[in-house]
Amino acid sequence: MTAIPPYAVVTAYSDARDEQQAARSLAERLRHPNLGFVLFFCSIDYDLDRLAGALSEGFQGVPLCGCTSAGEITARGYDRDTVVAIGFDRRFFAVSHRLIERLDGFTLADAQQLTDGLLGDCRDGPAGPVSADNSFVLTLLDGLSVNEEMVLATLNAALGSITSFGGSAGDDYRLSRTYVYSDGAFHSDAAIVLMVTTSLDFEVFSIHHLRPDTRKLVVTAADAERRVVQELNAAPAAEEYARLVGVPVARLDDEVFARYPLAVRINSDYYARSIQRVNDDLSLSFYCAVENGIVLTAMRTGSLIGETRDTLNAIEARLGPAWVTLGCDCCLRRMEMESGGFAAPASALLREHKVVGFNTYGEQFNGMHINQTLTGVVIGRRHRTPGS
């Protein structure tokens, strides 16, 4: 095993409210002669134009991508009002990225062209030829675009056997505007696709803590394009959901949605379809795709901390200690931890496994758009030679 310098992967965060100061702090921590790429996640409370300029100046000459969040994960664990970043050493990572500027017009031909470009960029990286064994793809999408399913399915068809994961940008529960960052500017109705090829051991994962109940809700009226359900079981959607969970309609909020999730069954697996909000007409807006006729299963929440700990411990048993774990964690998982009084032990667990990342408005895993999961990649410390 080749000795790896302490800056193969470096993480840093800043809670400075001034954009110039925050960017300068990150650059001081992350910059070194072999810095090849920087990935960041930031609070929507920053002046994004000022932050874009400050980051471009601080990391001049270094490719830089990121997105806004519904909360950050830093070296302190769950965090807010910060910008957190990861720096990748070009001697161990080849990182290439592409910006998708119009999500509703993304075709299979576009996906193939994008993938070919990423493969070409990473072809001569430190791990040798790109393969499913030494590469993964990270996707960052506008979390309010309602185009995630189409984009992800199309992209997944072009990627073939290369594993992908990611998260949808947030805006601290305002549900107003979310952004991804590329090429010196923040963009809405857009997505970033990053391909990472590395000579270090890694494992991509997806974790959830949901178990199916016996109770069902049938979507009997929906606007699939807007992800709005007007009726469940032929009754106003908010009223029927409130009846199911035993909470008055007036008290339906993010905490209730986190505690009482719904999911759709695909083959033998369940995928959460999380509620975003109650609308004035008693319809429900969702974070994920919903359509007329689907059956939603009520889910019970298991041990969020226990499931996360068990999965990350098992991965590190295979890889060895993590250098860093890049995590895309659903905002409703965080809401569940905070409302239940478990934020402190959850943050301790994230620190233990060196998780850095952000809270999302939806997660992505191998072409699926999902909710109430933690998706990510554990990057280990073992250095593999090309072809091993």
Side-chain angles (χ1 to χ4, degrees):
M1 183 173 69
T2 305
I4 301 172
Y7 40 79
V9 188
V10 184
T11 67
Y13 72 91
S14 175
D15 54 12
R17 300 313 307 147
D18 177 77
E19 291 80 10
Q20 290 283 350
Q21 184 180 347
R24 185 163 54 248
S25 174
L26 294 178
E28 289 172 355
R29 292 282 307 279
L30 297 183
R31 269 201 172 277
H32 62 81
N34 292 296
L35 180 64
F37 190 87
V38 173
L39 174 68
F40 75 91
F41 310 104
C42 69
S43 167
I44 196 73
D45 283 338
Y46 285 105
D47 182 313
L48 296 184
D49 288 337
R50 283 176 51 84
L51 183 61
L55 289 170
S56 295
E57 180 182 347
F59 292 99
Q60 189 171 7
V62 178
L64 186 70
C65 283
C67 70
T68 57
S69 72
E72 301 80 56
I73 305 173
T74 73
R76 298 188 294 208
Y78 282 140
D79 222 329
R80 287 202 187 280
D81 302 324
T82 70
V83 54
V84 59
I86 305 172
F88 296 91
D89 188 320
R90 65 169 59 94
R91 292 172 298 172
F92 301 94
F93 298 90
V95 185
S96 179
H97 72 281
R98 293 291 187 277
L99 173 69
I100 305 172
E101 295 191 80
R102 279 192 63 249
L103 300 185
D104 60 355
F106 189 65
T107 67
L108 183 56
D110 295 329
Q112 193 61 63
Q113 183 179 14
L114 181 149
T115 300
D116 290 345
L118 295 174
L119 291 169
D121 291 348
C122 294
R123 175 178 57 210
D124 299 321
V130 178
S131 72
D133 294 327
N134 63 19
S135 304
F136 60 86
V137 163
L138 170 67
T139 50
L140 302 174
L141 286 82
D142 178 340
L144 298 175
S145 69
V146 302
N147 284 305
E148 292 100 317
E149 285 83 8
M150 181 273 294
V151 171
L152 292 169
T154 304
L155 181 63
N156 193 59
L159 288 175
S161 60
I162 296 177
T163 299
S164 65
F165 74 96
S168 298
D171 65 350
D172 287 333
Y173 302 96
R174 297 174 188 176
L175 303 176
S176 175
R177 202 78 181 270
T178 62
Y179 299 87
V180 298
Y181 173 98
S182 178
D183 304 320
F186 285 90
H187 307 263
S188 60
D189 190 31
I192 305 292
V193 183
L194 293 90
M195 180 171 286
V196 180
T197 299
T198 179
S199 58
L200 300 181
D201 279 348
F202 68 88
E203 185 170 330
V204 176
F205 64 87
S206 180
I207 305 168
H208 73 80
H209 63 300
L210 307 179
R211 302 291 182 269
D213 202 335
T214 58
R215 296 170 296 167
K216 310 286 184 182
L217 295 171
V218 179
V219 177
T220 48
D223 181 340
E225 288 190 5
R226 295 191 301 125
R227 297 178 182 161
V228 172
V229 173
Q230 291 99 359
E231 292 183 2
L232 291 169
N233 295 343
E239 291 182 357
E240 188 67 0
Y241 174 77
R243 183 195 63 78
L244 178 81
V245 302
V247 173
V249 170
R251 288 182 52 203
L252 294 179
D253 58 16
D254 290 332
E255 292 186 17
V256 174
F257 302 150
R259 291 202 313 269
Y260 302 104
L262 302 173
V264 61
R265 181 175 178 175
I266 301 176
N267 297 322
S268 60
D269 296 318
Y270 289 86
Y271 297 93
R273 293 291 181 262
S274 296
I275 300 171
Q276 187 182 89
R277 61 188 168 208
V278 178
N279 302 311
D280 292 340
D281 62 357
L282 297 181
S283 64
L284 296 173
S285 293
F286 282 71
Y287 282 106
C288 261
V290 286
E291 58 189 30
N292 203 39
I294 66 169
V295 177
L296 296 171
T297 299
M299 303 294 283
R300 294 174 285 106
T301 56
S303 172
L304 191 157
I305 292 179
E307 293 280 351
T308 304
R309 177 183 292 111
D310 290 348
T311 299
L312 295 179
N313 281 344
I315 293 173
E316 291 193 25
R318 293 188 288 270
L319 298 187
W323 196 280
V324 69
T325 299
L326 169 57
C328 306
D329 188 37
C330 182
C331 62
L332 292 179
R333 283 170 54 95
R334 176 169 180 161
M335 178 68 69
E336 182 180 341
M337 287 292 93
E338 291 175 339
S339 64
F342 300 115
S347 286
L349 177 64
L350 295 171
R351 293 194 301 269
E352 177 187 346
H353 290 281
K354 296 182 170 53
V355 180
V356 172
F358 75 116
N359 294 110
T360 77
Y361 280 175
E363 303 76 61
Q364 297 117 40
F365 190 71
N366 285 340
M368 293 286 294
H369 183 218
I370 49 184
N371 293 138
Q372 287 186 252
T373 64
L374 168 63
T375 64
V377 60
V378 178
I379 298 175
R381 296 173 178 264
R382 287 198 295 259
H383 181 203
R384 295 175 288 112
T385 58
S388 64

